Amino acid sequence: NAGVMQNPRHLVRRRGQEARLRCSPVKGHSHVYWYRQLPEEGLKFMVYLQKENIIDESGMPKERFSAEFPKEGPSILRIQQVVRGDSAAYFCASSRDAAQPQHFGDGTRLSIL
Amino acid sequence: DQQVKQNSPSLSVQEGRISILNCDYTNSMFDYFLWYKKYPAEGPTFLISISSIKDKNEDGRFTVFLNKSAKHLSLHIVPSQPGDSAVYFCAAHFNAGGTSYGKLTFGQGTILTVHP
């Protein structure tokens, strides 16, 4: 979907485990965004990153969640000690710059047992 | 605090007719608006956008109208086709710098069904 690659597409974890979600942006895009969609709701912004920098993390829960976008490699959204309420679809988007439309990946569906 | 609202959860339209999807917003700092289309198990696909300096933008069968005084935008699809059946999200962001620059605020979505 528009070149943003997310993996895995589906991830199952037990409560207390860690979840790592990966996102490779469109080639040439240096801006990455993570969103979460709960059932029957719209997408909620979590974090906005540029290479090696977090620009805006106002939507990230203060605990257990972290994100990075290293100089080399994909962006990673990490959720530690997962709980049932973390079950959701997590979408990554990228753009060439902050003024351009964001292009989304197909998401990672996280299920917590 | 729902700053972007799509008050119609669903819309059903006959093929060939016009589909009108509506979106309201509350934050006057929003400066740029987008519509996305989403199929099940896929990510949102960008459709069309409009800057707050315009009141209309057209791309093929899709037209977006913006009424800044009413804080309202709408997406018109004409003629509607069965392949247009999907969830449509409107989204907004600040486009003038600051910490919210680039962050999108989404509505809840409207399920459009186009009947053959």
Side-chain angles (χ1 to χ4, degrees):
Chain A
N1 192 351
V4 176
M5 302 301 294
Q6 289 188 249
N7 67 83
R9 290 295 309 274
H10 301 274
L11 182 61
V12 180
R13 286 285 178 268
R14 296 189 180 279
R15 280 178 294 171
Q17 291 185 321
E18 179 180 287
R20 282 188 180 232
L21 288 63
R22 293 174 186 77
C23 169
S24 296
V26 173
K27 189 175 180 181
H29 286 190
S30 60
H31 298 246
V32 164
Y33 314 82
W34 286 93
Y35 295 84
R36 176 166 65 176
Q37 184 182 25
L38 296 171
E40 311 300 324
E41 295 187 12
L43 283 74
K44 304 286 188 194
F45 168 80
M46 298 183 74
V47 63
Y48 163 28
L49 309 104
Q50 254 186 296
K51 280 291 185 182
E52 301 184 272
N53 292 307
I54 295 175
I55 307 300
D56 181 354
E57 56 181 347
S58 59
M60 285 271 272
K62 294 286 185 275
E63 296 177 352
R64 302 187 299 108
F65 285 73
S66 62
E68 62 177 9
F69 188 19
K71 189 176 179 182
E72 301 291 337
S75 175
I76 306 286
L77 179 67
R78 182 183 178 205
I79 311 172
Q80 295 178 290
Q81 299 171 346
V82 296
V83 301
R84 287 251 169 89
D86 297 333
S87 294
Y90 291 81
F91 291 97
C92 170
S94 73
S95 64
R96 190 174 301 278
D97 61 58
Q100 296 300 311
Q102 296 172 25
H103 296 271
F104 283 79
D106 285 338
T108 294
R109 273 124 190 108
L110 176 64
S111 298
I112 309 301
L113 301 179
Chain B
D1 178 23
Q2 191 70 32
Q3 297 187 68
V4 178
K5 295 181 183 179
Q6 294 175 254
N7 292 316
S8 297
S10 62
L11 175 67
S12 185
V13 170
Q14 203 70 29
E15 182 178 5
R17 299 288 187 104
I18 185 171
S19 296
I20 300 176
L21 298 114
N22 294 300
C23 181
D24 298 294
Y25 62 97
T26 56
N27 193 331
S28 57
M29 293 296 291
F30 288 140
D31 208 25
Y32 185 61
F33 303 90
L34 307 91
W35 283 95
Y36 284 84
K37 170 181 173 179
K38 186 181 180 302
Y39 294 117
E42 293 185 11
T45 300
F46 169 70
L47 277 176
I48 192 168
S49 62
I50 187 166
S51 166
S52 62
I53 62 173
K54 295 186 175 181
D55 54 19
K56 176 183 174 182
N57 189 25
E58 195 171 349
D59 184 2
R61 296 187 298 115
F62 302 92
T63 304
V64 56
F65 296 92
L66 176 62
N67 182 335
K68 278 189 70 177
S69 61
K71 294 192 177 68
H72 177 85
L73 65 154
S74 60
L75 175 68
H76 293 211
I77 307 172
V78 57
S80 302
Q81 300 172 354
D84 296 330
S85 297
V87 180
Y88 287 78
F89 291 98
C90 70
H93 80 55
F94 305 95
N95 199 19
T99 57
S100 297
Y101 194 42
K103 159 188 169 183
L104 286 177
T105 301
F106 281 84
Q108 311 95 305
T110 297
I111 301 170
L112 173 65
T113 304
V114 180
H115 297 283

